[in-house]
Amino acid sequence: MVNLPAVEERLGTLRTRFSHADGAESVLRPGVEDLHVVTGFGPTNAPTAGTLSVMIGTVELQRRLNVPVTAVISELGAWNSRNVAWARLEQVRDQMLEFLRALGFDETQGRLRSHVDLDNLTRAGKIARFLGRRDFLEHREELLELYEDHGLLGSEVGLTVDALYTVADILEPADRGHHHVLMISGLEEAYFTELARLVVTRQKSSGSTSLNWSTKIGALYFRVIEGLAGYPKMSKSIPDSAIHLGMEADVLSVRITSESPADQRALMSAMELASGWDLETLNTARYAYQHRDKNQAAWGKAKEHYLTTFLTFAEQWRACAR
């Protein structure tokens, strides 16, 4: 949980969704009105519990802050960085856009778009001159080796293109003349924030090639839902690590009611972050989890309740397919 005065004042109890902050207080401090929030999702598969938690958190944050929010479904980025068919990326992209609307994303106070966006592609071309190969080698996802071991990655150039598109996403408000950006994502995507800051700093001092952007970038990173089967996080790219909204009911039942010791913490995290439960229900589940050695039945009941909840989200996800 992030405990910073400016964050606590603006977010209230919603701050418990976040594990880390990086400069967030500078853009959330009292008096800052010109604030834009940016986030994004990769459409390589149906949302995992981890992705669902970020989607729910994004909608909650939009309501809490009452500021413009841009959520990007990054199909071009995923095409370059993951080995997934283009038709599949398009299908999941469109379904994710509808699902975010179904969850309550307010397009009168924000924007949903994809990477097939001329302004963003132009912006990516404009900022490329301020970044070099070493920057992308020094600022990259920590789990790349894990994904590579599973044969999931695109080429080195593709990974760079993906990062460039995402940095352009973060800098969209700067390109439009705004001065405060809040990036919200998982902690594993913190390197995008660093790359965006490099662009802002370097273009300021580039003389005649400056883009004349004067923007502060803060970041809040969502708590990670641990992966099943001992994986560090639930990843849509590693099927054994996750539960996702596209799974059949019988598979979800097996995974959510699992009694494997390696799965229990992940299931509790999923309940806390990807359920939409009220505080009383959550506290009941937490108590059952903490005392599961003495009362397996109560913890089993909590998992059955979560199975019902997740299946409801899964039904909603299927209804968003075109």
Side-chain angles (χ1 to χ4, degrees), residues 16-17 49-50 53 223-229 234 241 243 255-293 295 298-307 309-310:
T16 61
R17 281 197 168 274
S53 75
R223 287 168 53 193
V224 171
I225 295 181
E226 298 90 334
L228 299 173
M234 284 198 182
S241 73
I243 51 173
R255 295 199 179 188
I256 292 176
T257 63
S258 166
E259 296 182 1
S260 169
D263 294 341
Q264 303 313 299
R265 178 57 207 161
L267 292 169
M268 184 66 247
S269 294
M271 292 176 197
E272 289 179 325
L273 301 172
S275 68
W277 289 351
D278 59 37
L279 184 58
E280 181 180 355
T281 305
L282 277 175
N283 283 338
T284 299
R286 290 187 185 111
Y287 185 87
Y289 170 75
Q290 292 165 0
H291 297 85
R292 64 190 183 281
D293 291 339
N295 188 349
W299 177 231
K301 184 177 179 181
K303 289 188 287 186
E304 289 287 351
H305 186 191
Y306 187 61
L307 173 61
T309 297
F310 203 81

Side-chain angles (χ1 to χ4, degrees), residues 62-137:
Q62 183 185 43
R63 291 170 179 163
R64 173 75 186 190
L65 292 179
N66 195 32
V67 301
V69 176
T70 297
V72 182
I73 310 299
S74 55
E75 82 279 64
L76 271 180
W79 169 250
N80 279 279
S81 64
R82 298 288 188 269
N83 289 322
V84 181
W86 178 252
R88 173 63 175 167
L89 293 171
E90 287 184 306
Q91 183 266 316
V92 178
R93 173 201 64 197
D94 294 343
Q95 200 167 355
M96 279 189 167
L97 290 169
E98 288 303 315
F99 188 64
L100 280 164
R101 295 182 181 107
L103 288 176
F105 188 93
D106 183 1
E107 291 182 271
T108 67
Q109 187 70 318
R111 184 184 179 206
L112 296 173
R113 66 168 174 82
S114 81
H115 269 171
V116 183
D117 178 90
L118 181 59
D119 288 344
N120 202 65
L121 298 179
T122 302
R123 188 178 310 111
K126 289 165 71 175
I127 67 176
R129 67 177 297 130
F130 301 109
L131 294 169
R133 183 171 184 269
R134 181 178 294 276
D135 296 319
F136 292 104
L137 291 174

